[in-house]
């Protein structure tokens, strides 16, 4: 019956006068016959981005080898090479603010942005984030540009119609249609380390990165970022960064920040599965269990504790660690989040004041001299380092930032946590350096690496 009605409407339009055929659809039924009104509204705000940067290529084949490079030090020269990328972007402010993917612009030294009407502008990156794959760009001497408003990505539902607009394979601006296939895909599902995405079957191909995923109101629902594919082309599984998160980056860039202020939870969580739900007395698995908490966590300050189950943030359900992080990021530092939690079988609420990781940046300490540990660069583990290096929230003591010289030959690596040295538990870099300066005939060190404890013993 539905197909018959649509065919009848199409036939009516075909028999109508030319003037009637050119009339802009105004009703829901009419607009479903064509995406053209949505495209006319949104496509002018989608741009092509041409970026280039210079990389250094080593002439020596052993230049990056951790062992052989020491024998070829100074051999060969680095050769500069210009690399280019082509992608898409979306104008979100008439004053010339454009959002795109980090992997489109990376560390570009030259950015050229071409609008749908063929105007060209130089671009400058205001703020970028490799982890979130977001870049905010300002166009030089731009004003009164077509721009897309942000949709509320939390309102998106599976089955909603969407359009993907970008420049696939460099062929020119292209529009493809599809639906929202899923609304809460985490990094694990998309084969990325982290993240929280809208999934769509609207065809997305290389060059679409940074382009717009728009809803039927012509608003920006998401920023197209990646696909799952075996051939390199679209298989109908594409992912977009939700607009609510992109909006946070734009807001911070406009405020003058050149790096994103990430909210730090200071907790480790695990997803509640069927077995855990049964132990917790839940009829249906829901939420994430707080398994570990840093003493300076804002959740600890709000009274939460290990063993609590976080069910929602500001009324929005949380079913995975990535989902929790996403909810906090979209609220931003300084916001007060209402947390619904389960404790001892009872539902409770708490107000958490969100903030960045507290404390100053750790001061690197270089170990010098004639000891086997010479060449190490270490630092005290602070909440900021825990956040930046994605360490366990329970990490404490001393971390290796870089291993060089004699220490590298012993097998020490960046990210190793020094637990003990010569029988003494290490609390900070000052203590560690003092022990080394005291000297020893035999060095006995205990390290934590990737969750395992290692022991290193060497004679001086």
């Amino acid at each position: 019956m539905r197909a018959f009605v649509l065919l009848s409407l199409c036939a009516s339009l075909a028999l109508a006068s030319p003037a009637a055929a050119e009339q802009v659809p105004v009703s829901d039924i009419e607009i479903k016959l064509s995406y053209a009104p949505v495209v006319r509204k949104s496509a002018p705000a989608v741009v092509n981005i041409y970026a280039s940067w210079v990389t250094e290529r080593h002439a020596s084949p052993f230049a990056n080898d951790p062992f052989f490079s020491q024998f070829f030090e100074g051999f060969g020269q680095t050769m500069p090479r210009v690399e280019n990328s082509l992608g898409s972007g979306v104008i979100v402010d008439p004053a010339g603010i454009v959002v795109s993917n980090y992997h489109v612009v990376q560390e570009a030294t030259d950015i050229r942005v071409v609008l749908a009407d063929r105007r060209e502008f130089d671009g400058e990156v205001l703020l970028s984030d490799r982890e979130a794959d977001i870049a905010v760009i300002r166009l030089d001497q731009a004003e009164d540009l077509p721009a897309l408003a942000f949709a509320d990505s939390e309102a998106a539902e599976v089955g909603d119609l969407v359009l993907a607009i970008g420049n696939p394979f460099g062929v020119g601006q292209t529009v493809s249609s599809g639906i929202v296939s899923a609304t809460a895909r985490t990094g694990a599902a998309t084969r990325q380390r982290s993240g929280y995405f809208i999934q769509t079957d609207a065809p997305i191909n290389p060059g679409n990165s940074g382009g717009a995923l728009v809803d039927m109101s012509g608003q920006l629902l998401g920023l197209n970022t990646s696909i799952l594919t075996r051939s390199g082309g679209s298989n109908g599984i594409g992912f977009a960064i939700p607009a609510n998160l992109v909006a946070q980056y734009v807001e911070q860039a406009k405020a003058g920040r050149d790096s994103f202020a990430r909210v730090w939870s200071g907790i480790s969580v695990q997803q509640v599965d069927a077995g855990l739900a049964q132990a917790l007395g839940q009829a249906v698995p829901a939420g994430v269990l707080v398994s570990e908490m840093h003493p300076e966590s804002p959740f600890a300050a709000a009274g939460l504790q290990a063993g609590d189950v976080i069910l929602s943030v500001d009324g929005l359900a949380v079913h995975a660690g990535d989902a929790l992080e996403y909810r906090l990021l979209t609220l931003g530092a300084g916001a007060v989040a209402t947390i619904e939690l389960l404790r001892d079988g009872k539902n409770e609420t708490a107000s958490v004041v969100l903030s960045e990781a507290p404390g100053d940046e750790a001061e690197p300490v270089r170990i010098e001299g004639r000891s086997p540990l010479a060449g190490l660069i270490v630092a005290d583990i602070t909440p900021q380092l825990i956040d930046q290096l994605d360490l366990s929230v329970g990490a404490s003591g001393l971390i290796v930032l870089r291993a060089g010289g004699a220490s590298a030959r012993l097998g020490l690596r960046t990210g190793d946590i020094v637990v003990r040295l010569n029988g003494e538990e290490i609390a900070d870099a000052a203590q560690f350096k003092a022990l080394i300066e005291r000297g020893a005939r035999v060095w006995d060190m205990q390290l934590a690496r990737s969750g395992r404890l290692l022991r290193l013993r060497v004679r001086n």
Side-chain angles (χ1 to χ4, degrees):
M1 181 66 183
R2 178 179 174 84
F4 175 78
V5 172
L6 287 174
L7 286 171
S8 299
L9 286 168
C10 289
S12 299
L13 286 174
L15 295 173
S17 65
E22 295 176 1
Q23 181 178 348
V24 176
V26 293
S27 70
D28 288 344
I29 295 178
E30 290 176 351
I31 202 169
K32 289 175 183 176
L33 298 177
S34 174
Y35 296 121
V38 180
V39 174
R40 280 195 295 271
K41 178 180 179 180
S42 54
V46 181
V47 301
N48 296 338
I49 296 179
Y50 302 87
S52 62
W53 58 92
V54 178
T55 59
E56 298 290 337
R57 184 170 64 87
H58 290 278
S60 168
F62 302 109
N64 294 317
D65 189 283
F67 178 74
F68 288 105
S69 61
Q70 61 186 308
F71 303 112
F72 290 88
E73 188 172 351
F75 175 80
Q77 298 178 342
T78 57
M79 302 175 62
R81 180 176 60 183
V82 177
E83 295 190 14
N84 300 284
S85 72
L86 169 65
S88 305
V90 186
I91 304 171
V92 293
D93 189 300
I97 301 297
V98 173
V99 291
S100 185
N101 288 144
Y102 174 89
H103 75 260
V104 171
V105 297
Q106 299 191 44
E107 303 298 329
T109 54
D110 183 53
I111 298 174
R112 195 70 178 162
V113 178
V114 182
L115 273 61
D117 61 11
R118 300 184 183 179
R119 283 183 291 170
E120 297 187 13
F121 295 90
D122 289 326
E124 173 193 8
V125 175
L126 296 179
L127 185 155
S128 64
D129 188 340
R130 180 192 296 269
E131 183 176 351
D133 200 18
I134 296 175
V136 182
I137 303 164
R138 179 174 57 200
L139 304 187
D140 185 36
Q141 297 182 343
E143 56 183 19
D144 297 328
L145 299 183
L148 290 188
F150 287 109
D152 179 7
S153 52
E154 294 297 344
E157 296 186 72
V158 174
D160 285 350
L161 292 171
V162 289
L163 301 179
I165 309 177
N167 183 14
F169 297 108
V171 300
Q173 190 177 85
T174 301
V175 180
S176 56
S177 65
I179 63 170
V180 172
S181 304
T183 57
R185 290 297 188 221
T186 60
T190 63
R191 298 180 186 172
Q192 300 188 46
R193 190 175 68 82
S194 62
Y196 197 74
F197 304 92
I198 297 171
Q199 182 182 328
T200 179
D201 67 346
I204 296 173
N205 288 288
N208 272 112
S209 292
L213 188 71
V214 301
D215 61 16
M216 290 298 101
S217 297
Q219 294 184 317
L220 183 64
L221 184 64
L223 198 64
N224 298 325
T225 186
S226 64
I227 58 176
L228 284 184
T229 178
R230 294 179 179 177
S231 63
S234 174
N235 286 339
I237 304 177
F239 302 98
I241 303 168
N244 288 12
L245 180 58
V246 179
Q248 266 292 326
Y249 278 79
V250 173
E251 183 179 326
Q252 292 195 23
K254 286 182 177 180
R257 292 192 62 98
D258 57 4
S259 61
F260 187 65
R262 303 184 68 86
V263 171
W264 183 66
S265 66
I267 60 176
S268 293
V269 299
Q270 66 180 92
Q271 186 174 5
V272 175
D273 57 16
L276 191 53
Q278 186 176 12
L280 293 169
Q282 292 182 335
V284 177
V288 291
L289 176 72
V290 178
S291 55
E292 197 172 13
M293 180 175 293
H294 192 279
E296 296 183 68
S297 164
F299 283 78
L304 274 79
Q305 55 196 9
D308 289 342
V309 177
I310 298 175
L311 301 174
S312 69
V313 177
D314 279 6
L316 299 171
V318 171
H319 296 299
D322 284 341
L324 175 62
E325 182 180 4
Y326 168 77
R327 302 290 183 215
L328 302 181
L329 288 178
T330 55
L331 289 173
V336 179
T338 300
I339 306 298
E340 183 186 3
L341 61 104
L342 180 68
R343 176 183 294 171
D344 297 329
K346 298 180 181 179
N347 283 42
E348 300 183 15
T349 60
S351 296
V352 178
V353 180
L354 303 182
S355 63
E356 296 179 73
D360 299 327
E361 289 191 14
E363 187 70 27
V365 174
R366 180 185 295 273
I367 305 301
E368 298 175 327
R370 297 178 59 86
S371 83
L373 303 178
L376 278 180
I377 299 178
V378 297
D380 296 343
I381 295 178
T382 64
Q384 285 199 5
L385 271 183
I386 289 174
D387 187 38
Q388 291 169 6
L389 302 180
D390 198 25
L391 304 175
S392 164
V393 295
S396 61
L398 193 70
I399 188 168
V400 175
L401 299 180
R402 182 174 178 270
S407 64
R409 291 192 287 275
L410 289 177
L412 291 168
R413 302 178 189 173
T414 299
D416 286 345
I417 296 175
V418 181
V419 179
R420 303 178 73 88
L421 178 62
N422 292 344
E424 291 194 32
E425 188 172 345
I426 301 301
D428 54 40
Q431 176 199 10
F432 182 69
K433 188 174 183 180
L435 284 173
I436 293 175
E437 290 176 347
R438 186 188 306 170
R441 296 184 62 181
V442 178
W443 298 94
D444 188 359
M445 179 184 291
Q446 192 175 37
L447 305 169
R449 177 186 295 170
S450 302
R452 296 182 301 155
L453 284 177
L454 305 176
R455 188 174 181 183
L456 180 67
R457 187 177 175 87
V458 60
R459 291 185 177 275
N460 200 354

